[in-house]
């Protein structure tokens, strides 16, 4: 059954002339609105083949198509009207079709698409290796997992626009370890050209580069559409904007999105596309707001408005809770333990319901994961590598502890056991000894066979590497002498100091972000060790091993998120919703995220605030905001959201709907003008008297 449409939705559905920009807040029913818009045009006699709907990704397309087909079937059943449905495609699907068209026209050479991740990695590694050989460089540092990911992200950013790689690189805040990126990009492009291959990003980038150089081809592309609808327009980048312009011609274009949810800057998205560029590129644009959310109640709508209102790069629009929206309860506190207590209390009252804990970056999830493992509560992660015991820094430090404990006098390590082999491999990997993968494997095999085989493997290495390996092996013996005397946290500090790990991470990390993540993970493990209920290193390691096994089993079980708590980053949570949402790590430096002692730029702060807005608007019935137990100050976003003000006004709105007060109450608020505007937008009653808090010097 179709829900009652709001007047705002009806205005979008029946839009007549010119282009349209629809600003849809979180949970405003934009998919339902777009489905009805398409059906309205079809009822008006617009041929389905003269209409195109563009969705951001495959999941969004499938969801839209399912709802469109369901509504079309309802119309057929109730009215006997058979409607042909238009083409609904993703950007990359359109790029693929355009690539094939240009191939037939002879303006773009055909290539085979490679989508498998292993194949992408293999070709990328090959290009990096070739460049290193040409420059007389050691390639291993470029091929490490984090370094490879950083380079692939750079390639994605280059292919989100039409500028050359060097120009994109110069605009970034990069490290010395990334200076090879522009040349490596060109090397990879040459390799792909030689082998007639392409990657997923090329589906858009290659044909749009052709159009950029041969604009006369536009005449052959345009004229086939009367209506073009684009969803999630706030996530648009330069190459996608160019595609929309190329296909539109004289078609009427309607774009739908929410500037406040523009969080994919690393893919080239920027608020300016929806804020200014659409108007500049298409002229005569009519704006339509979708301001009512059906996802959450007044309290969360007010908190979200108060937070995002501090951004300047946005329209003057507020989110209003629809009359049918259920109340949302807000809580604020500190610590992973406190957060999980709130979750347990909610779960005890709920027969069913979905829950999620969101973090700004994966290093922040360490506290939560370890707390969940300690309490034997299962949880799910988006990817296995985000399980805390799969992180290389954590695996490395725990390997040192096990090797030290098992290298004490009277104990012999059985290197035939896979776990011992893995620990030895970690010893050679963290922090880096600048060994190739082949060299590490050779040393592991030597260690398995005998001491003499290990020495032989070392002798085959260059002098510098041989000395570094020798020092690392001697360190294990040194650690073994202290293993029984050192508390867990002291052992970690001792190991970090002896290996100079922190400095090596800073120097060798492929990016500032990856270095920060690694250092924060280590700090998190140290904090956890300091809070340990045991001073015995061996007992602490055993506790962690039990937790690791239990957590690994939980991940392998892959229980549905409906039955189990899910932990996600905010970026991965966009577009999703849960009954109960906890946002963890709300401290300055963590969320908003800052690197080292650097300060946020105004644009950077606004980007972080949009991310916070997305995080809190995933909740339906409960939102729990928690600081971590670091010494960092509370996040500025907590003060900006002003939960107390939001809850107070929400209570008054609910009370006044049942029994209007005789005299309007007096309310102190951080943003009185905003709260007054909200009240007047949702209630016909006389508003409270709002006054601002006095500034405290």
């Amino acid at each position: 059954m179709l829900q009652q449409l709001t007047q705002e939705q009806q205005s979008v559905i029946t839009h007549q002339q010119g282009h349209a920009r629809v600003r849809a807040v979180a949970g405003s029913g934009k998919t339902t609105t777009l489905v009805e818009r398409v059906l309205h045009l079809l009822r008006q006699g617009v041929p389905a083949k003269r209409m195109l709907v563009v969705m951001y990704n495959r999941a969004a397309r499938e969801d839209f198509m399912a709802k469109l087909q369901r509504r079309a079937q309802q119309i057929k059943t109730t009215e006997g009207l058979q409607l042909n449905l238009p083409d609904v495609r993703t950007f990359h699907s359109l790029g693929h079709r355009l690539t094939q068209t240009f191939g037939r026209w002879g303006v773009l050479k055909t290539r085979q698409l490679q989508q498998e991740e292993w194949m992408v990695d293999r070709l990328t590694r090959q290009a990096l290796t070739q460049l290193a050989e040409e420059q007389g460089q050691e390639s291993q540092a470029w091929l490490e997992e984090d370094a490879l990911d950083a380079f692939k992200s750079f390639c994605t950013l280059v292919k989100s626009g039409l500028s050359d790689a060097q120009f994109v690189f110069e605009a970034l805040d990069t490290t010395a370890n990334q200076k090879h990126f522009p040349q490596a990009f060109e090397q990879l492009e040459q390799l792909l050209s030689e082998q007639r291959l392409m990657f997923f990003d090329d589906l858009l980038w290659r044909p749009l580069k052709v159009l950029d150089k041969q604009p006369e081809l536009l005449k052959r592309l345009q004229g086939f559409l009367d209506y073009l609808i684009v969803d999630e327009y706030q996530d648009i980048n330069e190459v996608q904007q160019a595609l929309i312009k190329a296909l539109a011609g004289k078609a009427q274009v309607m774009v739908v999105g929410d500037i406040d949810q523009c969080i994919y800057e690393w893919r080239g998205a920027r608020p300016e596309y929806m804020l200014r560029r659409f108007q500049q590129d298409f002229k005569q644009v009519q704006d339509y707001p979708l301001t009512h959310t059906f996802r959450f109640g007044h309290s969360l709508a007010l908190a979200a408005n108060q937070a995002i209102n501090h951004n300047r790069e946005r329209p003057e629009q507020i989110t209003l809770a629809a009359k049918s929206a259920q109340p949302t309860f807000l809580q604020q506190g500190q610590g992973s333990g406190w957060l999980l207590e709130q979750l347990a209390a909610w779960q005890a009252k709920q027969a069913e319901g979905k829950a999620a804990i969101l973090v700004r970056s994966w290093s922040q999830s360490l506290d939560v994961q370890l707390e969940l493992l300690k309490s034997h509560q299962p949880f799910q992660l988006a990817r296995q590598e985000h399980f805390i015991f799969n992180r290389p820094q954590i695996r490395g430090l725990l390997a040192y502890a096990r090797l030290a404990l098992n290298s004490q006098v009277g104990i012999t390590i059985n290197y035939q056991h896979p776990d011992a082999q893995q620990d030895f491999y970690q010893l050679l990997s963290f922090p880096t000894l600048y060994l190739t993968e082949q060299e590490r494997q050779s040393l592991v095999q030597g260690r398995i066979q005998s001491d003499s085989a290990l020495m032989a493997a070392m002798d085959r290495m260059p002098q510098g590497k041989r000395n570094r390996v020798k020092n690392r092996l001697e360190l294990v013996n040194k650690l073994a002498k202290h293993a029984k005397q050192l508390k867990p946290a002291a052992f970690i500090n001792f190991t970090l100091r002896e290996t100079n790990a922190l400095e090596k991470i800073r120097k060798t990390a492929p990016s500032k972000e990856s270095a920060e993540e690694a250092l924060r993970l280590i700090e998190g493990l140290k904090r956890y060790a300091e809070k340990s209920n045991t001073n015995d290193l061996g007992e602490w390691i055993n506790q962690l091993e039990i937790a690791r096994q239990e957590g690994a089993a939980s991940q392998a079980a892959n229980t549905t998120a409906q039955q189990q708590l899910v932990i996600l980053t905010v970026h991965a949570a966009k577009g999703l919703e849960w009954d109960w949402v906890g946002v963890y790590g709300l401290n300055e430096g963590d969320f908003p995220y800052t690197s080292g002692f650097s300060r946020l730029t105004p644009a950077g702060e606004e980007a972080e605030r949009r991310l916070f807005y997305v995080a809190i608007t995933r909740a339906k019935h409960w939102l729990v905001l928690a600081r971590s137990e670091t010494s960092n100050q509370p996040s500025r976003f907590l003060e900006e959201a002003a939960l107390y003000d939001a809850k107070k006004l929400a209570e008054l709105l609910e009370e006044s709907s049942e029994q209007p007060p005789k005299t309007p109450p007096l309310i102190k608020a951080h943003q009185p003008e905003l709260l007054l505007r909200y009240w007047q937008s949702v209630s016909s009653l006389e508003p409270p008297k709002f006054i601002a808090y006095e500034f405290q010097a």
Side-chain angles (χ1 to χ4, degrees):
M1 193 72 181
L2 181 66
Q3 68 178 34
Q4 186 68 35
L5 295 169
T6 67
Q7 185 58 52
E8 289 178 339
Q9 290 174 318
Q10 290 284 10
S11 297
V12 173
I13 292 165
T14 57
H15 167 69
Q16 294 292 321
Q17 298 295 324
H19 305 300
R21 175 172 48 192
V22 182
R23 293 174 169 141
V25 304
S28 60
K30 67 179 178 62
T31 302
T32 297
T33 306
L34 289 184
V35 165
E36 295 304 315
R37 169 66 176 168
V38 169
L39 295 173
H40 172 77
L41 291 173
L42 294 174
R43 286 171 179 272
Q44 297 297 307
V46 175
K49 65 180 181 180
R50 302 289 298 179
M51 195 188 315
L52 174 65
V53 181
V54 184
M55 309 303 290
Y56 193 75
N57 55 37
R58 187 180 300 176
R61 177 191 176 276
E62 290 173 354
D63 179 58
F64 184 85
M65 280 298 300
K67 291 177 179 177
L68 181 62
Q69 290 168 350
R70 189 159 54 245
R71 279 289 291 133
Q73 183 60 43
Q74 288 175 355
I75 291 171
K76 180 181 178 182
T77 302
T78 58
E79 304 176 29
L81 182 62
Q82 177 73 52
L83 296 173
N84 294 322
L85 300 182
D87 208 3
V88 180
R89 288 182 173 265
T90 64
F91 277 105
H92 284 91
S93 172
L94 286 171
H96 186 54
R97 186 165 68 175
L98 191 57
T99 298
Q100 291 178 319
T101 298
F102 282 1
R104 289 194 303 271
W105 293 356
V107 295
L108 189 63
K109 293 182 179 179
T110 58
R111 294 187 185 182
Q112 183 180 353
L113 178 63
Q114 297 293 332
Q115 295 191 73
E116 296 85 355
E117 195 66 26
W118 69 269
M119 190 63 175
V120 174
D121 283 352
R122 186 182 72 80
L123 290 164
T124 306
R125 289 176 183 276
Q126 185 178 344
L128 288 166
T129 302
Q130 288 176 353
L131 179 64
E133 290 175 353
E134 290 176 7
Q135 296 184 348
Q137 299 278 340
E138 170 59 62
S139 65
Q140 184 58 34
W142 297 357
L143 303 177
E144 296 287 352
E145 183 178 348
D146 285 349
L148 195 68
D149 287 344
F151 174 63
K152 286 159 62 179
S153 294
F154 172 74
C155 294
T156 293
L157 185 60
V158 173
K159 293 184 178 181
S160 72
L162 300 173
S163 301
D164 62 45
Q166 185 63 42
F167 180 85
V168 174
F169 181 77
E170 289 172 357
L172 296 175
D173 181 18
T174 57
T175 68
N177 298 323
Q178 297 173 317
K179 61 183 180 181
H180 63 287
F181 277 13
Q183 287 178 288
F185 177 87
E186 300 300 337
Q187 187 84 26
L188 179 57
E189 284 305 297
Q190 182 179 337
L191 181 64
L192 291 172
S193 176
E194 291 170 354
Q195 299 190 23
R196 304 286 292 275
L197 300 173
M198 62 178 175
F199 295 154
F200 194 63
D201 291 335
D202 290 315
L203 292 175
L204 282 170
W205 186 67
R206 293 183 69 232
L208 267 299
K209 288 287 279 187
V210 171
L211 274 177
D212 189 48
K213 295 177 180 177
Q214 302 180 52
E216 66 274 10
L217 294 173
L218 287 172
K219 295 179 182 178
R220 300 175 66 179
L221 285 177
Q222 296 173 346
F224 298 98
L225 293 175
D226 294 325
Y227 293 90
L228 175 59
I229 298 173
V230 184
D231 191 23
E232 299 289 0
Y233 187 71
Q234 78 280 343
D235 294 329
I236 216 82
N237 58 32
E238 185 62 35
V239 75
Q240 291 167 331
Q241 177 77 354
L243 177 64
I244 293 170
K245 290 170 61 180
L247 295 179
K250 296 182 179 180
Q252 183 190 96
V253 182
M254 174 180 283
V255 298
V256 186
D258 182 6
I259 289 175
D260 296 332
Q261 296 188 68
C262 176
I263 62 172
Y264 293 144
E265 287 93 340
W266 54 278
R267 293 181 188 166
R270 295 192 303 277
E272 72 170 79
Y273 287 103
M274 191 162 189
L275 200 59
R276 290 179 290 272
R277 278 288 297 279
F278 184 68
Q279 179 88 41
Q280 293 168 2
D281 289 348
F282 290 94
K283 319 295 183 189
Q284 297 179 331
V285 173
Q286 186 166 346
D287 283 321
Y288 292 95
L290 290 181
T291 58
H292 289 83
T293 179
F294 302 94
R295 180 179 296 162
F296 43 79
H298 290 307
S299 59
L300 180 46
L302 285 159
N305 285 321
Q306 290 180 122
I308 203 63
N309 194 47
H310 287 77
N311 273 10
R312 302 278 71 86
E313 279 285 285
R314 64 184 301 273
E316 287 293 326
Q317 179 171 314
I318 60 174
T319 300
L320 307 171
K323 289 183 179 180
S324 60
Q326 295 296 308
T328 307
F329 301 95
L330 309 180
Q331 289 178 289
Q332 183 175 322
Q334 183 174 16
S336 55
W338 176 84
L339 177 66
L340 297 182
E341 285 175 6
Q342 311 316 306
L343 173 61
W346 174 78
Q347 290 173 327
K349 299 176 184 177
Q350 303 296 317
E352 59 182 20
K354 299 191 296 181
I357 293 177
L358 308 181
V359 291
R360 168 63 179 83
S361 60
W362 278 112
S363 60
Q364 293 173 295
S365 75
L366 180 141
D367 295 348
V368 176
Q369 288 192 46
L370 290 174
E371 196 70 34
L372 286 166
L373 291 169
K374 189 169 69 175
S375 60
H376 308 289
Q377 183 168 347
F379 60 91
Q380 283 295 307
L381 300 165
R383 294 165 63 180
Q384 290 296 309
E385 59 262 37
H386 296 144
F387 182 42
I388 203 65
F389 291 105
N390 289 341
R391 303 308 297 164
Q393 298 80 22
I394 306 300
R395 292 170 68 185
L397 287 169
L398 298 183
Y400 277 95
R402 283 188 293 266
L403 289 171
L405 288 166
N406 294 318
S407 297
Q408 297 174 90
V409 177
I411 303 177
T412 302
I413 299 177
N414 175 20
Y415 281 106
Q416 300 303 315
H417 197 286
D419 288 349
Q421 296 169 20
Q422 184 58 235
D423 282 345
F424 189 73
Y425 180 88
Q426 294 300 324
L427 177 78
L428 301 172
S429 304
F430 176 80
T432 183
L433 292 173
Y434 304 98
L435 305 178
T436 65
E437 179 62 20
Q438 184 178 359
E439 287 169 334
R440 283 194 291 249
Q441 292 296 344
S442 176
L443 290 168
V444 171
Q445 290 303 313
R447 179 71 282 179
I448 292 171
Q449 295 172 30
S450 64
D451 288 345
S452 59
L454 174 61
M455 295 305 296
M458 291 172 60
D459 288 340
R460 291 192 293 269
M461 299 169 65
Q463 181 68 41
K465 290 185 177 181
R466 184 163 65 247
N467 290 339
R468 289 196 292 270
V469 172
K470 181 181 177 182
N471 291 337
R472 187 64 55 87
L473 295 177
E474 290 175 351
L475 175 59
V476 173
N477 294 328
K478 186 176 181 180
L479 291 170
K481 295 177 182 177
H482 300 278
K484 283 294 185 182
Q485 290 76 41
L486 292 174
K487 297 177 183 179
F491 182 88
I492 293 173
N493 286 327
F494 187 83
T495 304
L496 293 172
R497 184 172 64 252
E498 291 295 319
T499 58
N500 198 25
L502 303 184
E503 186 59 29
K504 285 186 177 179
I505 288 171
R506 292 187 182 96
K507 284 185 176 180
T508 62
S511 67
K512 292 181 179 178
E513 292 77 13
S514 62
E516 284 289 329
E517 275 292 278
L519 296 173
R520 290 174 193 230
L521 275 170
I522 292 170
E523 281 300 314
L525 185 66
K526 285 167 60 178
R527 286 197 307 271
Y528 185 77
E530 288 165 357
K531 296 188 300 180
S532 174
N533 58 6
T534 178
N535 290 328
D536 184 272
L537 180 63
E539 185 178 343
W540 186 68
I541 290 294
N542 287 336
Q543 290 175 359
L544 288 178
E545 179 57 24
I546 292 170
R548 185 195 68 79
Q549 292 177 6
E550 187 173 314
S554 173
Q555 301 306 304
N558 198 25
T559 309
T560 64
Q562 194 159 11
Q563 298 170 297
Q564 207 169 80
L565 172 71
V566 62
I567 303 175
L568 290 171
T569 62
V570 182
H571 283 100
K574 185 173 177 292
L576 304 176
E577 63 181 29
W578 293 270
D579 300 287
W580 186 97
V581 170
V583 183
Y584 184 71
L586 286 165
N587 302 69
E588 282 294 309
D590 295 325
F591 202 169
Y593 192 96
T594 53
S595 178
F597 297 101
S598 62
R599 300 185 64 178
L600 280 170
T601 63
E605 181 176 345
E606 294 211 357
E608 289 291 306
R609 191 175 287 111
R610 289 193 297 271
L611 201 56
F612 176 73
Y613 174 85
V614 168
I616 63 176
T617 56
R618 300 309 94 199
K620 295 168 64 176
H621 305 309
W622 281 86
L623 173 67
V624 184
L625 305 180
R627 297 160 51 194
S628 67
E629 294 171 340
T630 67
S631 59
N632 292 11
Q633 293 295 312
S635 170
R636 68 193 72 178
F637 300 151
L638 290 174
E639 181 178 358
E640 292 173 358
L643 296 197
Y644 178 81
D645 295 2
K647 289 192 287 186
K648 182 64 177 176
L649 190 61
E651 289 170 3
L652 284 173
L653 281 165
E654 290 160 9
E655 291 169 2
S656 64
S657 65
E658 299 176 1
Q659 185 176 356
K662 294 180 180 179
T663 57
L666 181 67
I667 296 181
K668 279 188 175 183
H670 291 82
Q671 298 187 59
E673 293 180 1
L674 176 62
L675 297 195
L676 175 61
R677 182 182 171 197
Y678 187 94
W679 181 286
Q680 292 174 334
S681 298
V682 299
S683 175
S684 59
L685 298 175
E686 186 177 356
K689 303 297 183 184
F690 293 102
I691 60 172
Y693 279 105
E694 292 183 5
F695 177 74
Q696 299 294 323

